[in-house]
Amino acid sequence: MPTINIVGFGTCEVAEGTRLVKAIKACGVDIGHRCGGFARCTTCRVEFIEGEPDVMTRAEYEKLKESGLFGKVRLACQIVVDRDMTVKPLMRVSEQGWSDPGPEPEDSVTPEAVFIPISELERE
Ligand code: FES
């Protein structure tokens, strides 16, 4: 099982194929997911320290470009854990003053994932 290292919170193991946002929650960290995991809100944003996937869903790419965040953060709701990863969640419920993290994301990536190599997206 892959190991997730969450900066400031320690490590835990999660089943391969888990959405990263759900993996971070399962490790006990109060990451935001205000749109319910649909690549609309960016509150699940994380900084990757190690293990960043070199593919991205089209939905993540379009949201990050629109928000000026492309190349700076990744959206944990659009990433599937397929390797060891070290990440830093950037918007946590307890820091933002939200009453809840947002609707519970589904088990699989939404909207339906189309993973595209980042190098290909950068050429568009
Ligand atoms: S963009 Fe909203 S939960 Fe990921």
Side-chain angles (χ1 to χ4, degrees):
M1 293 214 295
T3 298
I4 303 294
N5 182 2
I6 305 171
V7 176
F9 295 91
T11 61
C12 69
E13 291 192 340
V14 297
E16 187 165 346
T18 306
R19 288 176 91 171
L20 181 57
V21 67
K22 291 179 82 85
I24 292 170
K25 284 188 76 160
C27 296
V29 179
D30 59 340
I31 186 169
H33 44 78
R34 303 289 285 175
C35 73
F38 281 83
R40 292 195 199 117
C41 69
T42 80
T43 58
C44 65
R45 67 183 67 173
V46 296
E47 179 186 336
F48 261 88
I49 313 298
E50 283 179 39
E52 180 174 351
D54 55 8
V55 295
M56 187 177 271
T57 64
R58 168 135 332 258
E60 179 181 8
Y61 176 70
E62 287 175 0
K63 189 66 194 178
L64 291 179
K65 283 297 256 190
E66 171 197 308
S67 311
L69 293 169
F70 182 73
K72 297 178 180 154
V73 302
R74 296 294 304 267
L75 300 180
C77 72
Q78 298 297 300
I79 291 172
V80 169
V81 177
D82 61 355
R83 67 194 78 186
D84 292 348
M85 295 175 170
T86 300
V87 296
K88 185 175 181 189
L90 299 175
M91 298 186 85
R92 293 191 296 112
V93 176
S94 54
E95 292 175 332
Q96 301 294 326
W98 298 325
S99 57
D100 64 80
E104 185 60 31
E106 294 174 24
D107 286 340
S108 51
V109 175
T110 51
E112 193 175 342
V114 179
F115 290 104
I116 301 165
I118 294 172
S119 56
E120 203 173 294
L121 289 165
E122 283 172 332
R123 283 199 299 271
E124 287 186 354

